[in-house]
């Protein structure tokens, strides 16, 4: 895997390669969980071919191959024609994210910890989660209220700073996907 990681890291030096827009700032291209590998990139054929070629080079060196029956590709905001071209090139099936790529508020909140390790959550979602946590902390109920005894930024500071050490959802989301 180290060999694959090194090869994938060189892609950002190639002008034809583009990171997925949500990953560009952090320059995230791959995430691994157990024996699963997630590769993220912009949805154009050039940006798909480059990581694929890196993986094929890794495959020849390691003997590990893509199981096309178990592999999927996920699209967001792309034309059907572009999707068809990419599917034909890769020869793998199109996957569907639960709830679609644009995650609903209810779905995103219910499994926030899982999704926050994979995607940058929309600010609207993180603000909603913080509002619910803030209401629960101050009034003991999850119904959103404007009552607050301290600024939320202060509440999120560590106990050593005299605060409550409540998790900053946006900061945690960035850290979780950066791992």
């Amino acid at each position: 895997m180290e060999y694959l990681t090194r090869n994938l890291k060189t892609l950002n030096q190639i002008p034809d390669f583009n990171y997925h827009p949500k990953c560009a700032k952090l320059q995230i291209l791959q995430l691994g969980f157990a024996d699963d590998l997630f590769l993220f990139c912009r949805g154009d054929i050039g940006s798909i071919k480059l990581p694929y070629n890196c993986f094929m080079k890794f495959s020849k060196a390691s003997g590990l191959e893509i199981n096309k029956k178990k592999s999927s590709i996920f699209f967001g905001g792309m034309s059907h024609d572009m999707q068809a071209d990419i599917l034909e090139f890769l020869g793998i099936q199109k996957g569907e994210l639960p709830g679609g790529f644009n995650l609903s508020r209810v779905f995103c909140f219910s499994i926030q910890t899982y999704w926050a390790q994979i995607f940058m959550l929309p600010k609207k979602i993180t603000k909603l989660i913080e509002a619910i946590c803030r209401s629960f902390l101050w009034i003991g109920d999850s119904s959103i209220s404007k009552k607050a005894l301290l600024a939320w930024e202060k509440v999120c500071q560590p106990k050593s700073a005299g605060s409550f050490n409540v998790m900053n959802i946006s900061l945690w989301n960035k850290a979780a996907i950066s791992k």
Side-chain angles (χ1 to χ4, degrees):
M1 287 306 289
E2 180 63 31
Y3 177 70
L4 177 61
T5 301
R6 267 188 278 124
N7 281 335
L8 290 171
K9 285 184 178 181
T10 65
L11 292 179
N12 66 345
Q13 299 165 2
I14 299 172
D16 291 339
F17 178 77
N18 293 300
Y19 282 100
H20 181 278
K22 300 274 186 184
C23 303
K25 286 183 182 176
L26 299 172
Q27 295 190 345
I28 294 171
L29 177 61
Q30 76 179 75
L31 292 174
F33 300 98
D35 62 348
D36 295 326
L37 179 67
F38 296 90
L39 297 175
F40 299 89
C41 64
R42 191 170 184 86
D44 59 72
I45 197 73
S47 294
I48 297 291
K49 284 182 178 180
L50 289 167
Y52 179 80
N53 291 339
C54 275
F55 189 84
M56 295 313 293
K57 185 178 174 183
F58 166 75
S59 182
K60 286 179 185 173
S62 68
L64 298 173
E65 295 181 0
I66 297 171
N67 183 335
K68 292 188 177 191
K69 291 181 182 177
K70 290 184 176 180
S71 299
S72 300
I73 184 167
F74 300 91
F75 299 100
M78 294 176 59
S79 72
H80 291 291
D81 291 340
M82 181 61 76
Q83 290 181 28
D85 290 345
I86 292 169
L87 288 168
E88 183 179 339
F89 170 75
L90 293 174
I92 61 174
Q93 64 189 351
K94 179 180 176 181
E96 295 292 330
L97 291 172
F101 190 74
N102 294 321
L103 305 173
S104 69
R105 288 182 358 176
V106 173
F107 182 77
C108 197
F109 181 71
S110 65
I111 57 170
Q112 175 268 333
T113 303
Y114 173 77
W115 287 115
Q117 295 178 50
I118 300 172
F119 297 111
M120 284 299 295
L121 297 177
K123 285 190 185 231
K124 185 176 184 178
I125 300 298
T126 58
K127 293 292 182 194
L128 175 64
I129 293 168
E130 286 178 354
I132 292 169
C133 292
R134 185 173 47 249
S135 292
F136 186 79
L137 179 65
W138 298 128
I139 63 173
D141 192 298
S142 63
S143 58
I144 298 174
S145 166
K146 297 286 183 186
K147 296 178 183 176
L149 302 176
L150 284 174
W152 192 247
E153 294 76 29
K154 175 72 175 156
V155 173
C156 293
Q157 291 179 354
K159 287 184 179 183
S160 61
S163 195
F164 294 96
N165 201 33
V166 172
M167 182 178 11
N168 179 320
I169 302 294
S170 298
L171 188 60
W172 185 86
N173 182 206
K174 288 177 190 172
I177 65 168
S178 296
K179 68 178 178 152

